[in-house]
Amino acid sequence: MKSPYTGKEMKLEKEPREIVFRKETYIVMFHFWKDDETGQQFTSTALDEINLGQAYNQFRSRHNLPFPDDIQEIRSQYGLSASKMSEILGFGINVYRQYEAGEVPSESNARLIQVARDAQQFKRLVELCGSLDEKLLDKLLPRIDHLIQSQQEAIISPTYETYLVGSPRPDEYSGYRKPNIKRFSAMVTLFSNALNPWKTKLNKLLFYADFVHFSKTCTSISGMRYDAIKMGPVPHNFQGLYQLLAEQQAIEIEYIEYENGSMGERFWPVDTSMDLVAEVLTADELVTIQTVIDHFGALSNQQIIFESHLEQAWKDNVDLIAPGISYLKYAFALRNLDFMA
């Protein structure tokens, strides 16, 4: 960005600052352009979104409010338009749509949205709404009844997938996104399709993609948590996650025995796996993943391990067991952020 005073390119700076949102103070990594000659500081719409997004995320997490993904998911499970969802909940016609787009709901509206996730409770709200036509009800009520049964079964028998992804609540360790196995699978598919990586390298590619995307948008791509082990950052429960994807025929894992008797794992795409990618990833997420491929794709396992060991995210967490690597604390400190400009 050029200075309006000197016409020269300014440097992007980052520093911890306080932002007040709804009378509460949050520490964010504040981004701004600085004119070294005049000392003037400037932000842009994109930088404002990053700065405010950090505060919004912390506010939602502190007060256990739903994130945009959660809000959209709750509506989608009932197959309703945003306007109809607003109508059932008693909001203004465009309110639900605004919440899905990122506006932070009031705590009272947030609680009502969270209640609506429970199909049994939502059925009661539908019954209380007297403005829905019979045609819509004929489609909606059977769908709700099916969801009631599915949710009851999930409580009785949690899935292995639920165990692997960990806590469903978005926080700073998930990149303020609910863990999503389909998104994770799509990321693995793209890296496998482009690079046929070994497991060690794939772990680092996933880490960089999620954390770089957080640095640009204040949300991760997959919602997965990452741990720091001696070989570098890795997705939490990565062994189980990869095995699950192989069992679901989302990827193919080739096992190769080395001369010393140890085994290596190399990842290959499955013909049908690319069909999922466009369904679950946005254009911006695809750009992030492709840029990570372009930047790290040619590196060997040892080279990308070396790169990851230079990251503060690894240095500060390698000797810790829990809770993992914080996106909020470390995504903006990545050494390789310059290549994303």
Side-chain angles (χ1 to χ4, degrees):
M1 181 176 178
K2 292 185 178 180
S3 168
Y5 295 99
T6 66
K8 297 180 180 178
E9 289 291 336
M10 295 185 292
K11 184 180 179 182
L12 180 62
E13 302 276 1
K14 291 173 286 186
E15 65 182 29
R17 288 191 190 177
E18 293 183 350
I19 285 184
V20 177
F21 178 67
R22 295 186 182 175
K23 299 181 180 181
E24 297 181 5
T25 301
Y26 297 93
I27 303 298
V28 306
M29 186 58 68
F30 193 85
H31 293 58
F32 60 95
W33 298 101
K34 184 175 181 180
D35 183 333
D36 287 334
E37 291 190 19
T38 65
Q40 294 293 318
Q41 298 179 6
F42 307 88
T43 62
S44 61
T45 300
L47 294 186
D48 287 340
E49 290 177 353
I50 292 175
N51 296 333
L52 292 173
Q54 295 173 68
Y56 295 165
N57 285 341
Q58 292 179 73
F59 180 86
R60 289 179 193 268
S61 184
R62 177 181 291 181
H63 294 275
N64 192 26
L65 303 186
F67 285 76
D69 278 356
D70 302 317
I71 297 170
Q72 194 278 332
E73 181 184 276
I74 291 170
R75 175 176 66 83
S76 294
Q77 71 179 356
Y78 300 114
L80 290 166
S81 66
S83 61
K84 284 299 179 184
M85 194 69 177
S86 287
E87 183 179 345
I88 293 169
L89 297 179
F91 301 161
I93 190 168
N94 290 317
V95 169
Y96 204 89
R97 184 177 291 107
Q98 292 167 354
Y99 291 158
E100 288 186 1
E103 182 176 321
V104 181
S106 65
E107 291 202 40
S108 59
N109 282 2
R111 299 297 172 242
L112 191 54
I113 291 170
Q114 289 166 318
V115 166
R117 180 181 289 281
D118 185 313
Q120 186 74 60
Q121 297 295 329
F122 187 69
K123 185 175 184 179
R124 179 60 177 154
L125 293 173
V126 170
E127 291 170 345
L128 290 172
C129 181
S131 59
L132 301 178
D133 60 60
E134 290 298 324
K135 185 177 180 180
L136 175 60
L137 288 173
D138 288 343
K139 293 175 59 177
L140 179 58
L141 291 176
R143 184 165 185 159
I144 293 175
D145 288 337
H146 177 73
L147 280 167
I148 291 172
Q149 181 177 353
S150 297
Q151 289 178 353
Q152 290 173 343
E153 291 173 353
I155 293 172
I156 296 171
S157 302
T159 64
Y160 181 50
E161 177 181 318
T162 302
Y163 161 75
L164 289 175
V165 300
S167 171
R169 183 180 174 184
D171 57 23
E172 65 181 279
Y173 299 99
S174 70
Y176 295 107
R177 198 162 207 174
K178 183 179 178 180
N180 188 304
I181 194 70
K182 288 185 177 180
R183 288 176 166 275
F184 182 77
S185 178
M187 294 173 70
V188 172
T189 292
L190 286 172
F191 287 127
S192 299
N193 187 63
L195 303 170
N196 308 130
W198 299 92
K199 180 176 64 179
T200 297
K201 182 173 180 177
L202 177 60
N203 285 334
K204 312 302 171 289
L205 294 170
L206 291 164
F207 162 78
Y208 275 114
D210 266 329
F211 274 69
V212 166
H213 197 72
F214 184 92
S215 75
K216 296 165 60 183
T217 66
C218 295
T219 58
S220 64
I221 299 176
S222 70
M224 292 298 171
R225 291 167 166 77
Y226 288 82
D227 301 321
I229 65 173
K230 290 186 178 181
M231 298 289 282
V234 298
H236 185 64
N237 285 334
F238 66 94
Q239 294 280 23
L241 287 169
Y242 294 148
Q243 190 59 45
L244 177 64
L245 295 185
E247 291 172 0
Q248 294 176 343
Q249 298 184 330
I251 55 170
E252 180 180 340
I253 303 177
E254 179 185 9
Y255 295 90
I256 300 174
E257 185 174 0
Y258 299 118
E259 291 183 358
N260 62 6
S262 62
M263 297 292 293
E265 298 169 48
R266 196 167 191 180
F267 289 72
W268 299 84
V270 176
D271 290 342
T272 58
S273 59
M274 288 296 291
D275 297 339
L276 174 68
V277 172
E279 295 178 14
V280 300
L281 299 181
T282 67
D284 287 344
E285 290 165 347
L286 292 172
V287 168
T288 297
I289 292 170
Q290 185 58 53
T291 308
V292 168
I293 289 171
D294 293 342
H295 187 77
F296 294 104
L299 298 185
S300 67
N301 286 346
Q302 291 303 315
Q303 287 172 328
I304 199 168
I305 289 172
F306 177 80
E307 287 288 331
S308 71
H309 282 186
L310 297 176
E311 303 290 358
Q312 206 62 41
W314 181 80
K315 293 178 181 179
D316 289 353
N317 293 283
V318 65
D319 294 323
L320 303 179
I321 298 176
I325 304 174
S326 166
Y327 285 81
L328 181 64
K329 185 174 181 180
Y330 295 105
F332 299 113
L334 291 178
R335 294 177 58 259
N336 288 284
L337 277 184
D338 290 344
F339 78 86
M340 294 297 300

